[in-house]
Amino acid sequence: ISGTTGLGPNGLSPNDKLQNIYTLSDDLFYTLGRHSLKFGTLMNRWESFTLNGTNRRGSVTFPSVLAFLQGNPSNIQAATSGSIFDRLYRYYSYGFYVQDDLRLRPNLMLNVGLRYEFLTTLTETHGHGAVVRDLLKDANTTLGEPFLNPSLKNFSPRLGFAWDVKGDGKLALRGGAGLLYDLSN
């Protein structure tokens, strides 16, 4: 009722979120002559549960006490019948790498590597995920994946070196460069 403190529960409750991350990784090291080879993988399964109760209970606004007594609201907000308030999103991330630490001379090491890391497309596990694909042309939402997956091209080369300048283990010059991708959850 305008001019008074609202009655009843918060219109945003309940609002619950839960995230589970399951991880599996392994690394393998192998030395062969002048080569020190490293191989590895990192795999994650991401689950994000959301219960969004916005307007689940609904709300009725009256412009005055008199309108309230007469049952004449100015605004009614409520979820439509059959609304689904919970979502369970799932996706995976995979990363694989190989690196060779090649001893060119007793005082010079070259590091060469490549990593490939990508995410699968976010999916609502019960088929309730919806998206507006074209904001200018689409009048309604479309069920399914929210976007095209740009992470499938995430190849990350690495290059580095370590040089023991005098060969006595007291002064080293190191450098490296790599192309890195930030996979966000």
Side-chain angles (χ1 to χ4, degrees), residues 84-89 123-131 142-144:
I84 300 168
F85 295 95
D86 65 312
R87 301 283 187 275
L88 177 59
Y89 293 98
T123 307
E124 204 289 322
T125 61
H126 301 106
H128 299 145
V131 65
T142 302
L143 291 177

Side-chain angles (χ1 to χ4, degrees), residues 144-160:
E145 298 175 347
F147 53 85
L148 295 175
N149 190 346
S151 74
L152 297 177
K153 299 176 183 177
N154 288 355
F155 289 93
S156 304
R158 302 357 176 24
L159 183 63

Side-chain angles (χ1 to χ4, degrees), residues 155-173:
F155 289 93
S156 304
R158 302 357 176 24
L159 183 63
F161 71 93
W163 176 39
D164 182 355
V165 178
K166 295 183 179 180
D168 60 5
K170 294 183 179 180
L171 177 63
L173 181 62

Side-chain angles (χ1 to χ4, degrees), residues 46-124:
W46 304 79
E47 292 179 344
S48 182
F49 173 78
T50 301
L51 174 62
N52 186 350
T54 302
N55 288 330
R56 186 174 188 177
R57 296 182 174 123
S59 67
V60 181
T61 305
F62 297 90
S64 65
V65 174
L66 180 60
F68 172 71
L69 295 173
Q70 293 173 340
N72 191 9
S74 60
N75 187 22
I76 298 174
Q77 290 184 339
T80 57
S81 178
S83 292
I84 300 168
F85 295 95
D86 65 312
R87 301 283 187 275
L88 177 59
Y89 293 98
R90 184 176 294 147
Y91 61 99
Y92 299 84
S93 67
Y94 298 98
F96 308 97
Y97 77 91
V98 60
Q99 180 169 320
D100 185 6
D101 296 334
L102 175 61
R103 185 160 302 280
L104 297 175
R105 295 192 318 204
N107 66 336
L108 180 61
M109 174 95 61
L110 180 66
N111 316 107
V112 180
L114 180 67
R115 181 174 185 86
Y116 178 54
E117 192 167 23
F118 65 96
L119 296 171
T120 61
T121 305
L122 182 72
T123 307
E124 204 289 322

